[in-house]
């Protein structure tokens, strides 16, 4: 049994969220190279990414996060799904071009929700891919929901569900690295919070804000909440700046994390 590193590439990092349907190709290329260097050293990775200006654009227009209330909602569900897959195709193609053996897994095909919470998940193919040395690539998606018709599952939520299932199977997730466009989680004075724990989170919560651009998944606060869930059991979760060259590579390969925000118990 080997250790795993889970990586989340934020939608704000890989797309320009102020401009609909605008990928940051140079950024995706650089991150892919850093991931490839890590794989060459023997690391086992699972990658999730946000939909950014792809998925959030029509999800906001059709209020997809609120579920399906009429035929217009069904139309929105289908269009948002298409957009989420579109940015995934871009990421997947770049990864393959950089020599990464990867497979995309569409969350709506392996996750089913009940009142916006997990009802069932089928992860065996994803686990098999990791065992074969393949990097599974998942992403923020619109999920069918038994109560509301559909709901939005962010890249963090998808990763959190995979995290739980991998742990059930006996795998150890050593690190979860969340790459965004900030140096970490900022407090009300604009300084990076070095460490967040269940003990200090209630105090810090009021100073953590969401994204300034369109974001139906809740921005930074949501990211911290999901990270606290994943930190149970000794996993170290980091929120760091993916815009800085080799920041992701160093975060994966080094035993000590020097910059950003650590979220742990």
């Amino acid at each position: 049994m080997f250790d795993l590193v889970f990586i989340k590439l934020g939608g704000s990092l890989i797309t320009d969220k102020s401009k609909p349907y605008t990928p940051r190709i140079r950024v995706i290329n650089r991150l892919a190279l850093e991931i490839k260097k890590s794989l060459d050293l023997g690391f086992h990775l699972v990658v999730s990414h946000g939909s950014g200006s792809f998925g959030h654009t029509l999800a906001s227009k059709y209020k997809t996060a609120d579920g399906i209330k009429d035929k217009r909602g069904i139309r929105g569900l289908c269009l948002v799904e298409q957009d989420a897959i579109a940015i995934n195709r871009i990421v997947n193609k770049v990864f393959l071009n950089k020599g990464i053996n990867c497979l995309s897994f569409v969350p709506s095909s392996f996750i089913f929700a009940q009142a916006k919470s997990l009802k069932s998940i089928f992860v065996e193919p994803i686990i098999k891919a990791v065992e074969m040395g393949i990097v599974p690539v998942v992403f923020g998606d619109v999920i069918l929901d038994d109560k509301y018709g559909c709901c939005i599952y962010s890249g963090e939520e998808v990763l959190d569900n995979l995290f739980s299932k991998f742990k059930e199977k006996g795998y150890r997730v050593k690190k979860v690295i969340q790459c965004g466009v900030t140096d970490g989680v900022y407090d009300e004075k604009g300084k990076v919070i070095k460490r967040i724990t269940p003990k200090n989170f209630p105090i810090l919560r009021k100073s953590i804000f969401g994204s300034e651009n369109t974001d139906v998944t809740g921005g930074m606060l949501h990211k911290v909440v999901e990270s606290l869930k994943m930190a149970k059991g000794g996993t170290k979760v980091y929120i760091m700046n993916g815009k800085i060259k080799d920041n992701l590579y160093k975060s994966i390969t080094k035993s000590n994390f020097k910059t950003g925000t650590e979220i742990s118990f």
Side-chain angles (χ1 to χ4, degrees):
M1 198 68 71
F2 45 79
D3 291 343
L4 284 161
V5 177
F6 279 21
I7 299 168
K8 165 67 192 321
L9 306 178
S12 295
L13 177 63
I14 64 171
T15 75
D16 184 341
K17 290 179 73 173
S18 69
K19 300 177 181 179
Y21 308 108
T22 306
R24 289 189 166 124
I25 297 298
R26 289 185 180 180
V27 172
I28 299 171
N29 271 282
R30 176 179 52 75
L31 293 168
L33 286 172
E34 294 180 30
I35 288 171
K36 180 60 167 63
K37 288 195 298 181
S38 303
L39 292 169
D40 290 342
L41 292 176
F43 285 86
H44 298 270
L45 310 177
V46 175
V47 176
S48 178
H49 65 80
S51 295
S53 65
F54 283 71
H56 293 299
T57 299
L58 290 184
S60 180
K61 176 182 177 180
Y62 284 92
K63 301 186 185 305
T64 309
D66 296 332
I68 296 174
K69 300 177 181 179
D70 50 31
K71 290 184 178 180
R72 187 173 185 273
I74 293 176
R75 180 65 174 173
L77 159 67
C78 298
L79 292 174
V80 172
E81 167 81 352
Q82 176 180 251
D83 286 349
I85 291 175
I87 182 59
N88 175 256
R89 291 293 82 204
I90 292 171
V91 172
N92 192 81
K93 184 176 182 179
V94 170
F95 278 24
L96 289 171
N97 287 342
K98 297 303 179 185
I100 298 171
N101 291 326
C102 61
L103 284 176
S104 291
F105 292 89
V106 181
S108 62
S109 68
F110 65 83
I111 295 175
F112 189 45
Q114 170 66 41
K116 301 184 180 181
S117 296
L118 180 67
K119 182 175 183 179
S120 59
I121 183 171
F122 179 59
V123 298
E124 278 75 9
I126 299 175
I127 292 174
K128 182 63 177 178
V130 173
E131 292 174 344
M132 294 172 66
I134 296 170
V135 177
V137 182
V138 297
F139 51 94
D141 197 8
V142 57
I143 305 296
L144 294 180
D145 187 292
D146 205 25
K147 181 177 181 179
Y148 298 115
C150 73
C151 64
I152 298 291
Y153 256 46
S154 69
E156 286 87 0
E157 287 176 296
V158 174
L159 208 62
D160 183 41
N161 287 322
L162 290 182
F163 176 90
S164 298
K165 290 301 177 179
F166 268 87
K167 286 188 68 176
E168 287 180 10
K169 297 292 185 179
Y171 290 92
R172 179 173 180 259
V173 181
K174 188 175 182 180
K175 295 180 181 178
V176 177
I177 303 169
Q178 307 226 26
C179 304
V181 295
T182 70
D183 292 330
V185 181
Y186 297 124
D187 62 19
E188 68 276 7
K189 295 180 179 179
K191 294 183 178 181
V192 174
I193 302 169
K194 293 298 184 182
R195 187 165 182 253
I196 297 175
T197 68
K199 185 176 180 179
N200 67 15
F201 178 62
I203 299 171
L204 295 171
R205 184 181 187 125
K206 61 183 179 181
S207 65
I208 300 172
F209 299 94
S211 172
E212 63 185 43
N213 296 312
T214 302
D215 190 343
V216 295
T217 61
M220 186 60 79
L221 180 59
H222 175 78
K223 192 186 303 290
V224 172
V225 170
E226 293 302 315
S227 295
L228 282 168
K229 295 177 183 178
M230 290 187 284
K232 294 179 180 179
T235 300
K236 300 294 184 182
V237 183
Y238 304 108
I239 296 177
M240 45 79 74
N241 194 335
K243 295 190 297 181
I244 301 173
K245 183 179 179 180
D246 281 334
N247 224 16
L248 173 59
Y249 173 71
K250 292 176 181 178
S251 300
I252 297 169
T253 59
K254 292 185 181 299
S255 58
N256 294 319
F257 189 80
K258 299 297 184 183
T259 61
T261 299
E262 175 186 312
I263 300 174
S264 59
F265 273 61

